[in-house]
Amino acid sequence: MRANRLVMAAVLAISTTASAKYDAATQPGATPATFVSAREIKAAVEKTDTGAFSDSPLRVVPIQSKYNVGMAVVRRTKINGRMLPDALIHDDVAEVYQIIEGEGVLVTGGALKSAKPLTAAAVVAEIGPSSAGQSIVGGTSRRVVPGDIVIIPPHIPHGFVDITTPRIVYTIIRIDPHKVLELRSPRR
């Protein structure tokens, strides 16, 4: 019986010490959680509902000064039955797409045809150092629908080759280990 009490006391002491290690209040420089509401995402889509393409960064936050994480809403629309060429590769930034509206065909992998670095400072601040091409040669085509999630590491060509609904809308989480994205806070 006494051995059981000693074991219980030791377990309690260890668990209390271990949980303190993960208590955010005890972690210097801990980054608070960042919230982006469905209302804010919808407003970003509605605000930019003209033209063939919009990429609306809503947040880019530093995570304990180690890396940045960005969140954007992207909308692509066919104009007169055609869509803009979409063939990109990012040097430093990984992207995670979640389709929230519409359907399309996304190609990942392969190689960019006629790749040229994107040099506009505003573009680099939003998506990181990247190159664009006329198209993607090879790669894997996938039909994407609402709810699908696609993880695209740096150095992987990617782009939509078709939108099979009037438009496609998706969120992008950008993981930025080199802190090249411009920090963005919520607009007030």
Side-chain angles (χ1 to χ4, degrees):
M1 186 67 141
R2 183 165 191 241
N4 285 344
R5 285 188 192 148
L6 287 174
V7 168
M8 290 297 284
V11 168
L12 183 59
I14 291 169
S15 66
T16 302
T17 304
S19 68
K21 178 180 175 185
Y22 296 103
D23 181 0
T26 64
Q27 298 298 307
T31 303
T34 298
F35 179 74
V36 180
S37 71
R39 186 179 83 235
E40 188 175 356
I41 293 168
K42 183 178 178 185
V45 172
E46 290 171 357
K47 181 180 177 185
T48 61
D49 201 21
T50 58
F53 171 77
S54 75
D55 184 335
S56 303
L58 299 179
R59 305 279 192 292
V60 177
V61 298
I63 306 298
Q64 297 183 347
S65 301
K66 294 179 183 175
Y67 58 96
N68 293 340
V69 174
M71 189 275 164
V73 180
V74 175
R75 180 205 35 83
R76 294 181 179 282
T77 305
K78 284 186 175 179
I79 303 292
N80 298 324
R82 300 183 62 178
M83 58 181 278
L84 290 175
D86 181 28
L88 290 171
I89 189 167
H90 304 295
D91 298 344
D92 299 321
V93 176
E95 294 184 321
V96 180
Y97 291 11
Q98 181 169 15
I99 310 303
I100 57 176
E101 177 189 327
E103 299 178 7
V105 178
L106 178 69
V107 174
T108 56
L112 289 185
K113 180 179 179 184
S114 303
K116 293 186 177 156
L118 298 174
T119 57
V123 172
V124 173
E126 285 187 11
I127 67 172
S130 304
S131 295
Q134 293 176 342
S135 62
I136 297 173
V137 178
T140 302
S141 296
R142 291 180 184 84
R143 181 173 174 266
V144 292
V145 301
D148 286 352
I149 295 174
V150 183
I151 301 169
I152 305 168
H155 309 290
I156 299 296
H158 58 282
F160 281 92
V161 294
D162 194 16
I163 300 170
T164 56
T165 54
R167 71 181 187 176
I168 190 164
V169 178
Y170 50 101
T171 59
I172 297 181
I173 303 299
R174 292 185 169 118
I175 298 124
D176 174 19
H178 301 290
K179 300 187 265 184
V180 296
L181 301 179
E182 183 177 294
L183 297 179
R184 290 182 186 259
S185 299
R187 292 191 174 113
R188 305 258 177 212

